[in-house]
Amino acid sequence: MAVKALNRTNDVLFKWIFGREERKDILLTFINAVLTEGKEEDIISDLSLIDRETDARRYGDKISRLDILAKTIDGIYVNIEIQTTNESDMADRSLYYWSKIHSDQLNKGDEYDQLNPTIAINILTYDYLPYKEYHSQFVIMEKNRHYQLTDNMSIHFLELKKWTDLGTKAKNRLERWLLYLSNNNPAELEEVAKMDTTIQKAVKAEEVFSADKKTWYEYLMREKSERDYISGIKNAERRGLRQGRAE
């Protein structure tokens, strides 16, 4: 099976692979890989996707847009977001999205004990946290006794660059998904796809994606938008540097 050279953190492609009802088993396997830290076991047996593409609700002057939102059969909400540019606000941004999803569970008259856990999974293409581990999970803990206040809150960060920089082969289920998302080693991914049926399904779905003119055009436009954004930042930095030297 030939693996295409695609940017799998492009949100058009990511949503097409992970955010479709007909392929929700791919999303389910990925979430289980994150929550079990790569173990070959499933703690979530099923989920349903929640369409947020047209649900951009305004909170004050902020608009909440989520890449993928799902609800497990046990009522747990899982939000997955990809971030490709470091704007230094990822912690606040993730906490903001988490709080909105969590609070939206209750309707007027509902009791607080009806709240179910909400999990945020942030996939970053850059180094963010100040240590070498590529997977971090944050919960609410008492500062000195390390007592966990509640299991209703969990925020994960997956830093693709940190995993890629290790230069090692994928050793578990989570690392196989990091290999898939990192676009780093097509030859190894091809070998992994032969033995991991879910990743194989994702790779095969990419063939359908790239053959569809509409989705392929959207993918290319998103790539162009990302390049233009990065180029604009670099140009602004160069202008600022020249201005500083002139002064």
Side-chain angles (χ1 to χ4, degrees), residues 186-200:
E188 185 184 353
L189 179 57
E190 191 169 332
E191 290 302 311
V192 165
K194 291 177 182 177
M195 52 82 64
D196 189 313
T197 56
T198 311
I199 289 181
Q200 183 181 105

Side-chain angles (χ1 to χ4, degrees), residues 127-140:
D127 291 346
Y128 179 62
L129 296 168
Y131 43 77
K132 64 180 181 180
E133 287 78 14
Y134 59 79
H135 179 202
S136 305
Q137 179 185 5
F138 292 88
V139 297
I140 300 178

Side-chain angles (χ1 to χ4, degrees), residues 77 101-116:
Y77 287 82
I101 298 167
H102 198 61
S103 62
D104 279 355
Q105 294 182 38
L106 294 184
N107 296 312
K108 186 176 181 180
D110 287 347
E111 299 292 335
Y112 291 117
D113 61 6
Q114 294 177 257
L115 286 167
N116 291 313

Side-chain angles (χ1 to χ4, degrees), residues 47-242:
L47 54 75
S48 57
L49 288 156
I50 300 173
D51 181 18
R52 299 296 293 238
E53 195 66 32
T54 57
D55 185 21
R57 292 175 298 165
R58 184 172 290 275
Y59 297 100
D61 62 344
K62 300 288 186 185
I63 295 178
S64 293
R65 288 192 179 92
L66 311 176
D67 280 345
I68 291 177
L69 181 62
K71 184 178 181 181
T72 74
I73 195 170
D74 300 316
I76 300 170
Y77 287 82
V78 183
N79 160 225
I80 301 176
E81 182 181 359
I82 287 184
Q83 185 68 20
T84 59
T85 55
N86 187 358
E87 298 177 357
S88 304
D89 62 354
M90 196 61 214
D92 292 330
R93 174 179 176 147
S94 184
L95 186 61
Y96 174 80
Y97 285 164
W98 177 92
S99 69
K100 294 307 177 185
I101 298 167
H102 198 61
S103 62
D104 279 355
Q105 294 182 38
L106 294 184
N107 296 312
K108 186 176 181 180
D110 287 347
E111 299 292 335
Y112 291 117
D113 61 6
Q114 294 177 257
L115 286 167
N116 291 313
T118 300
I119 299 169
I121 299 174
N122 301 292
I123 303 169
L124 313 181
T125 62
Y126 52 87
D127 291 346
Y128 179 62
L129 296 168
Y131 43 77
K132 64 180 181 180
E133 287 78 14
Y134 59 79
H135 179 202
S136 305
Q137 179 185 5
F138 292 88
V139 297
I140 300 178
M141 305 277 286
E142 201 283 328
K143 181 178 179 180
N144 297 313
R145 298 169 183 83
H146 306 292
Y147 172 77
Q148 187 170 334
L149 180 65
T150 175
D151 63 0
N152 272 6
M153 178 185 184
S154 179
I155 298 179
H156 295 253
F157 289 91
L158 296 173
E159 299 178 72
L160 297 180
K161 186 176 182 299
K162 284 182 179 176
W163 182 79
T164 300
D165 287 347
L166 291 176
T168 60
K169 288 184 175 294
K171 299 184 294 291
N172 58 51
R173 183 165 61 162
L174 176 57
E175 291 188 353
R176 293 197 295 270
W177 281 111
L178 298 182
L179 171 68
Y180 172 80
L181 292 169
S182 66
N183 320 302
N184 184 53
N185 192 329
E188 185 184 353
L189 179 57
E190 191 169 332
E191 290 302 311
V192 165
K194 291 177 182 177
M195 52 82 64
D196 189 313
T197 56
T198 311
I199 289 181
Q200 183 181 105
K201 182 176 180 178
V203 171
K204 286 183 176 179
E206 292 175 354
E207 297 175 4
V208 180
F209 173 87
S210 58
D212 185 293
K213 291 182 179 180
K214 182 177 182 296
T215 56
W216 184 245
Y217 177 78
E218 291 173 353
Y219 168 87
L220 293 177
M221 289 300 99
R222 188 55 54 89
E223 289 292 281
K224 180 180 182 300
S225 176
E226 187 77 12
R227 287 194 299 270
D228 290 348
Y229 177 77
I230 293 172
S231 177
I233 291 176
K234 290 181 177 178
N235 287 335
E237 289 174 347
R238 284 194 288 268
R239 287 196 299 271
L241 184 61
R242 287 197 296 269

